[in-house]
Amino acid sequence: MDESTDPARPQNHSTDSSVAPTKRIGRERRANRRESIRANAAAIRRRSFTAGMWATRAPIWMWPALLIITAIGGALRLFNLGFPHRLIFDETYYVKDAYSVFTFGYERSWPENADDSFNAGDPSVIESTPEYVVHPPLGKWIIGAGIHLFGADDSFGWRFSVAIVGTLTIFLMGFIAWKLFRSAFFACVAAGLLSIDGEHFVHSRTSLLDIVLMGFVLLAFAFIVVDREFVTKRFAKYTASSGSSERSRDRRPLPRKDLINFGPRLGVRPWLIAAGISLGLAMGVKWSGLYALAAFGILVVAWDVHSRHHAGIVHPWLGVLIRDSIPAFIKLVPVALLTYIVTWTGWIRSADAWDRQWAFDNGGWWSSLPDWLLWLPSLAHYHYTAYSFHVGLDSEHPYMSNPWGWIVQWRPTSFYYESPDLGSMGCTVDHCSSAITSVGNPVIWGLAPIAILVALVAWIIRRDVRAGVILAGLAATWLPWFAYQERTIFTFYTIVMVPFVVLAFTYCLTLLWGKVPTPAAATTPAVAASSAVAAAEHTDVATDPATAPADTSVASHLTPKPRGPLFAGRGTRIPWSLFGRRMTVGLILVAAIMAFAYFWPIYTGEVIPFEAWNNRMWNVTWR
């Protein structure tokens, strides 16, 4: 039978039946080719992957240096901490609430003009009725610890806890800077810059919640950085085992294909759990800690993908999704939420706190719950009313500011101001001023916009992970406020973003500092590959730019010999251009120290002539 007349064969479809398989085969071949290219590239990355900068140890002198910087910063913060001997700015809320929380377990109400009695050392005027407050209790518990230690009649004790928190964050800043930059010198620089920043200094001497919030956010950030070190070393072991398998196929089996495609599981990750606890504590101080939880969660995912990619995982995104997305989420988010609930223990255990009996007095689905669990719907209702208050807060205030101006300190907040005349408060001229103004160090904040732009360019163009991590912290503490521009918000909220501004500033100083060029040298292929990977990841193998040996610098074998005149000093020879850059770094640091000294009077409330105060108001919006 002729094939053209065979009824069992399709008619007029010869073209479709031949083209469809051809397209399918073509697509499969292209997909297989892409997969092969991806697998080969991953194998190259896997063979050259090392722990890089994370394996570098800090020089011994760095830790005593950081302790000395921290001690000096702490001494400056504790000096004359009891002045002024009265409640200033929002201390009128948080100090009295801290006394109430530490004494009764929850906030009680105060009569009108209670500040006068409290200033005189008599907190007995507190009432027995509960007070409605809109901030969680943890920050007030911490402030209350200082009050309990020194007594409610001691203004030094009111501010002692926040001064200690501020002091500890100086050391923490140096630790984080070491982990990110692997430079002992710039770790000390970052710690020193934080200690002389005006906002950080003033907040460390004023009993507000925001410095405590900053401390827990910075601690969570430190734990995430340490978790990255843990993860990188975990991947280094994985790549080492993979490499040995590939080199000895006759003795050891190759890793399973799914392990190469998706990578290993990352295990317990204790530092990520610690970060979750810290973020829960941050939310227990102020709800804005929730923004940090969201941003740091995204950072962890992005950093996991980046680490899997550089470790030679063929499908890093799928690897994160399949291997570690759910465990990492549990270690961070539920841990943070559980920790947050624990911070309400005093409210939960009380019987008379605000809204504590709401679920008993109002019927609903929760009526079927056992009595011991009715605190949960009561707490949920409390949060609902507090949230409604926050989003509806739009009353005018002379020091309210817009987030756009925060990065240049456009409208800093005045915490305290007095105008003593001759003979009053030690005034020796006709008219004096005594002010405490939360304005950042002009050198740091004047260059902060440039530093942030440089970090952004380095992240986008050079793909420098360190810049991206710093920007993530800045985004977590600054960008969310742009959604509330109509609310009553203040520049002093920027205390939470101060550490990340300092890190961005320090990062730019490391770029300006540069590295000493070394002659080209012959190296082994393994060393060359390791250096190339370190350079691609923008991680410094050399730790301290001032003391690191030349043969450990990043890709030193690829660095050309220096040209032009050299500056010779203390046994080293560097180009004059590099000497000029390092002198610039030194001048910037000296200028920051001098600015801090110049603004000291308006940071501490020192009585100075009015003209001296006016000379320090460099912007008309500062008054």
Side-chain angles (χ1 to χ4, degrees), residues 504-520:
F505 188 78
T506 306
Y507 171 73
C508 291
L509 292 181
T510 65
L511 300 181
L512 182 59
W513 182 269
K515 288 183 174 62
V516 178
T518 56

Side-chain angles (χ1 to χ4, degrees), residues 230 234 264-270 273 308 323-324 327-328 331:
F230 171 84
R234 174 79 173 83
R265 301 185 186 278
L266 297 179
V268 177
R269 299 179 73 172
I273 297 174
R308 287 180 182 271
R323 297 295 198 205
D324 211 48
K331 293 162 191 170

Side-chain angles (χ1 to χ4, degrees), residues 150-222:
F150 292 93
D153 58 342
D154 191 344
S155 56
F156 180 91
W158 303 347
R159 303 167 183 134
F160 177 76
S161 293
V162 295
I164 296 301
V165 171
T167 301
L168 293 177
T169 57
I170 296 174
F171 185 87
L172 188 59
M173 169 59 70
F175 173 80
I176 293 172
W178 159 251
K179 291 296 184 182
L180 288 180
F181 307 130
R182 243 45 183 197
S183 167
F185 172 71
F186 281 106
C188 295
V189 166
L193 288 174
L194 186 66
S195 69
I196 61 174
D197 176 71
E199 275 218 74
H200 188 273
F201 183 76
V202 170
H203 274 269
S204 298
R205 293 170 54 88
T206 311
S207 204
L208 306 182
L209 300 179
D210 301 83
I211 187 72
V212 183
L213 170 64
M214 186 217 76
F216 285 124
V217 170
L218 190 62
L219 182 62
F221 186 78

Side-chain angles (χ1 to χ4, degrees), residues 46 71 84 164 331 427-428 447 599 603:
R46 190 161 54 250
I164 296 301
K331 293 162 191 170
C427 180
T428 58
L447 296 174
F599 281 85
Y603 291 153

Side-chain angles (χ1 to χ4, degrees), residues 276-293:
I277 295 174
S278 300
L279 290 169
L281 296 176
M283 292 188 297
V285 178
K286 273 192 170 183
W287 283 358
S288 51
L290 185 62
Y291 301 135
L293 174 63

